[in-house]
């Protein structure tokens, strides 16, 4: 039987272990989320790359595969955010996760319905803001994390957030094993959230050849690029990424417009919806118009790599932990291993406090 670690996160959400699987676009589907939930962790569905109908189907499929709590990640700036929130409430989804800070009225609506609200933030001031609005907890990701990331390492960002708020803080960015969980708890965090580590599991839908590409990489094989979508984005350093890095501004914009058209065709979104989302994104993220257009690159480039398995035409979001991960366990094996090792580390550290050195 796996050891247990009781933290404010496990109590808040009603899960067995303080381990969160993040809502990675194109990766965090029903199979991965339900496997994480059944193993005692918190799995989060990624809805930003789903149509409303696809999200409905994904929630139904996840509920058919687990009776444990799980979450859904929503883009707070999406034009149909309110409809998606209504869906979560209707389906009694336990956790609403956000990549951008949701407005105060959305938080209140979710909390009134009994949904736990856990935004992801990248700075202490953002944590203070969402806490004042009623967020139940926050996920804070340091610069080691994959996908959109910031410049501050987890070892400094985490304590700065812990000092700023009184709600549970979940640490993300650079975690993959029990040592990391024990360290996060020692800082005062309520648990850890992992993306790349869960991407590299048996239940992850990422093609096997792509998983092997991740496993081959070393610690220095990720890069933070601004050319993917105009914002800092940590990805595997591939030939395509190098081409993007060396491409001129106008070439990147032309590719983004083309990808926007493909994304529109695939999802059935209207141009008016995409423009409205772009206007909201520009306002909330303070982006230039060129950055807004470039953001259209993200869904299609990630889909090509993580769904279609085309590493030549796709981008592979990756945390720095890619270079230290060596296997593809099941979610159950992973969570049991992480928690068991963390408990052993904590017990070992506890014994240090009782040791004394004899005075000669």
């Amino acid at each position: 039987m796996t050891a247990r670690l009781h933290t404010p996160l496990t109590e808040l959400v009603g899960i067995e272990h303080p381990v969160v699987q993040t809502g990675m676009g194109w990766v965090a589907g029903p199979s991965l989320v339900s496997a994480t939930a059944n193993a005692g962790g918190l799995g989060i569905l990624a809805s930003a790359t789903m149509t409303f109908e696809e999200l409905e189907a994904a929630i139904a499929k996840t509920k058919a595969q687990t009776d444990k709590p799980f979450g859904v990640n929503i883009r707070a700036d999406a034009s149909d955010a309110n409809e998606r929130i209504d869906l979560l409430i209707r389906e009694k989804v336990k956790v609403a996760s956000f990549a951008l800070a949701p407005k105060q009225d959305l938080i209140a609506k979710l909390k009134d319905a009994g949904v736990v609200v856990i935004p992801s933030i990248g700075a202490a001031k953002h944590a203070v803001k969402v806490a004042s609005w009623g967020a139940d907890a926050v996920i804070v990701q340091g610069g080691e994390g994959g996908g959109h990331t910031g410049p501050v390492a987890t070892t400094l960002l985490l304590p700065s957030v812990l000092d700023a708020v009184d709600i549970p803080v979940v640490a993300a960015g650079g975690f993959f094993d029990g040592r990391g969980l024990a360290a996060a708890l020692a800082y005062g965090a309520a648990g850890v959230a992992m993306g790349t580590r869960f991407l590299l599991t048996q239940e992850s839908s990422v093609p096997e050849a792509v998983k092997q590409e991740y496993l081959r990489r070393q610690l220095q094989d990720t890069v933070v690029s601004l050319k993917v979508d105009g914002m800092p984005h940590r990805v595997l350093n591939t030939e395509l990424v190098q081409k993007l890095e060396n491409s001129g501004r106008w070439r990147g914009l032309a590719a983004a417009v083309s990808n926007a058209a493909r994304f529109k065709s695939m999802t059935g979104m209207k141009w008016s919806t995409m423009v409205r989302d772009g206007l909201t994104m520009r306002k909330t993220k303070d982006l230039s118009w060129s950055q807004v257009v470039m953001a259209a690159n993200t869904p299609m480039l990630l889909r090509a790599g993580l769904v279609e398995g085309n590493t030549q035409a796709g981008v592979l979001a990756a945390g720095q932990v890619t270079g230290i991960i060596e296997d593809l366990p099941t979610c159950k094996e992973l969570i049991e291993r992480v928690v068991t090792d963390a408990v052993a580390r904590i017990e070992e550290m506890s014994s240090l406090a009782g040791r004394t050195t004899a005075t000669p």
Side-chain angles (χ1 to χ4, degrees):
M1 183 177 177
T2 307
R4 297 285 185 89
L5 290 166
H6 298 284
T7 75
L9 175 67
T10 61
E11 293 175 8
L12 175 67
V13 182
I15 53 178
E16 295 175 50
H17 307 300
V19 177
V20 179
Q21 162 254 303
T22 60
M24 300 165 280
W26 304 119
V27 177
S31 174
L32 182 59
V33 172
S34 60
T36 301
N38 287 330
L42 174 63
I44 299 177
L45 273 174
S47 82
T49 51
M50 297 178 186
T51 64
F52 184 85
E53 291 72 23
E54 287 171 339
L55 176 58
E56 277 187 308
I59 290 174
K61 188 172 182 180
T62 304
K63 288 174 71 174
Q65 294 175 351
T66 185
D67 58 359
K68 302 290 182 64
F70 67 92
V72 173
N73 182 263
I74 297 174
R75 265 184 52 197
D77 62 346
S79 57
D80 63 349
N82 264 302
E83 288 79 5
R84 291 177 184 243
I85 284 171
D86 288 339
L87 174 63
L88 266 61
I89 293 171
R90 189 163 65 247
E91 294 297 326
K92 295 181 170 52
V93 172
K94 184 65 177 181
V95 173
S97 165
F98 293 89
L100 293 174
K103 291 291 186 282
Q104 192 169 3
D105 59 334
L106 293 184
I107 294 178
K109 183 177 182 179
L110 286 161
K111 286 175 67 74
D112 286 347
V115 180
V116 176
V117 180
I118 308 181
S120 293
I121 53 92
K125 62 180 180 180
H126 300 146
V128 171
K129 179 168 66 175
V130 296
S132 71
W133 288 351
D136 295 292
V138 290
I139 295 175
V140 52
Q141 178 177 306
E144 301 94 322
H148 291 125
T149 193
V152 182
T154 303
T155 50
L156 297 174
L157 185 59
L158 177 59
S160 75
V161 173
L162 286 164
D163 288 344
V165 297
D166 294 324
I167 59 176
V169 175
V170 180
F175 296 99
F176 66 99
D177 66 359
R179 291 173 295 183
L181 175 55
L185 296 177
Y187 270 104
V192 296
M194 303 186 294
T196 305
R197 177 63 275 194
F198 275 104
L199 183 153
L200 295 172
T201 57
Q202 294 293 321
E203 292 89 353
S204 162
S205 61
V206 173
E208 184 65 24
V210 176
K211 291 179 183 178
Q212 293 302 322
E213 179 68 19
Y214 276 87
L215 292 178
R216 280 194 291 270
R217 296 309 189 104
Q218 304 300 310
L219 280 172
Q220 70 274 15
D221 285 341
T222 65
V223 62
V224 176
S225 174
L226 289 171
K227 291 295 186 73
V228 175
D229 60 6
M231 293 169 282
H233 204 113
R234 186 176 292 282
V235 295
L236 281 189
N237 195 3
T238 62
E239 248 182 78
L240 173 63
V241 170
Q242 286 301 310
K243 286 180 182 177
L244 288 173
E245 286 293 293
N246 295 322
S247 67
R249 178 169 173 263
W250 292 110
R251 182 180 175 185
L253 288 175
V257 170
S258 174
N259 277 327
R262 290 176 61 208
F263 188 60
K264 171 186 175 295
S265 175
M266 185 181 66
T267 61
M269 289 179 70
K270 297 178 180 178
W271 280 113
S272 59
T273 301
M274 294 184 72
V275 170
R276 189 162 61 247
D277 283 354
L279 287 168
T280 305
M281 186 186 299
R282 185 169 188 257
K283 181 180 178 182
T284 57
K285 294 184 180 178
D286 193 26
L287 303 179
S288 67
W289 275 115
S290 62
Q291 286 175 313
V292 170
V293 176
M294 284 177 70
N297 269 321
T298 308
M300 297 312 296
L301 290 176
L302 289 172
R303 185 179 192 278
L306 297 173
V307 179
E308 298 168 2
N310 187 344
T311 56
Q312 300 304 310
V315 166
L316 302 172
Q320 287 184 307
V321 296
T322 299
I324 206 167
I325 294 173
E326 298 179 336
D327 61 351
L328 299 171
T330 64
C331 289
K332 187 174 188 296
E333 290 168 343
L334 172 62
I335 291 176
E336 287 182 351
R337 187 167 72 197
V338 167
V339 174
T340 299
D341 189 28
V343 169
R345 302 275 174 171
I346 291 168
E347 289 175 347
E348 184 178 344
M349 286 189 291
S350 297
S351 70
L352 295 177
R355 297 176 188 172
T356 58
T357 304
T359 303

